[in-house]
Amino acid sequence: MILVLGAGGQVGSELVEKLRAKHGNEKVVASDIREVGNSEGPFEVLNALDKDKLHEIVEKYKIEEIYHLVALLSATAEKNPKFGWELNMDSLFYVLDLAKDKKIKKVFWPSSIAVFGPNTPRENTPQHTVTDPTTVYGISKLSGERWCEYYANNYGIDVRSIRYPGLIGYKSMPGGGTTDYAVDIYHKALESGSYECFLEEDTYLPMMYMEDAIRATVELMEAPSENIKIRSSYNLGGISFSPKKIAEEIKKQIPSFKISYTPDFRQSIAESWPKSINDSAAQNDWNWEMEYDLSKMTLDMIKNLK
Ligand code: AKB
């Protein structure tokens, strides 16, 4: 049995669908801090900081595998740093300890490109390099990575992780990230024909279409354990583009689309992150291969949002 924490979120809602299609609706327990509509299988309301309830659910359903997707993202955590740290770290320890105590067998926990910082090489960022995050979110993800590796090395737990780039999908909205503009822009292009972007036009960031991100997650979790050489978190490259580039691509489909730029506090977060990522370790260890580039993604986003 599989448990997904944060099943109502941007990744969670799509991952639950995918896992249920693969394993059967009854085999995947979805959970979130509030009820999510139309759950096709078992659902539990769970605050990821409620350790006792988490233990109860693991016992009740005889859970073997947890996907821990709960987090306060980069922009939101900056507004509430202490809570961002508490939520992102404490909930991770509860899950890692379940694996350490042999109550569950396998853990997926996402990290992020936010672990990198202003002194990281920004182009083709290597797997192992300077990590000096400036956001609470990035600090919590980097610390989480170190703890995942520590638990794997010292307690032999099977924990796997990906440093997600900004994720773009049509089924769900992101909540509180710096890369959120790249989802919102498609919605606004179709709703009103224009978009006011909170980043400057030439701010390049690594991004990925949700189809690819979900497939990467499933492929990583299905790979033989001996192939998983990195127990902190794998770089995942995706597509590198700026607001100007995505706007140009949207204009190919909606010629009257207009974009304007009013950068806010998220600009300095974006500037501290890489522009593009080297994911050769993921390619070598578990055969990772991206499918969607900017134009393929844009066509699919617009088709589905229409
Ligand atoms: C964010 O912008 O905070 C997230 C991320 C890159 O992890 N989308």
Side-chain angles (χ1 to χ4, degrees), residues 4 7 11-21 28-31 39:
V4 179
V11 177
S13 50
E14 302 208 20
L15 189 63
V16 166
E17 217 179 282
K18 180 76 164 196
L19 292 172
R20 284 186 171 155
V28 180
V29 182
S31 77
S39 190

Side-chain angles (χ1 to χ4, degrees), residues 189-223:
L190 288 164
E191 281 160 28
S192 65
S194 66
Y195 181 64
E196 187 182 352
C197 187
F198 58 75
L199 296 182
E200 276 166 12
E201 61 178 2
D202 286 325
T203 314
Y204 277 78
L205 285 169
M207 303 275 189
M208 181 173 278
Y209 198 38
M210 193 59 91
E211 298 284 322
D212 275 340
I214 298 292
R215 185 170 53 81
T217 307
V218 171
E219 285 178 8
L220 171 71
M221 288 299 273
E222 286 181 347

Side-chain angles (χ1 to χ4, degrees), residues 4 180-181 220 250 287:
V4 179
D180 293 11
Y181 90 85
L220 171 71
I250 291 174
N287 301 323

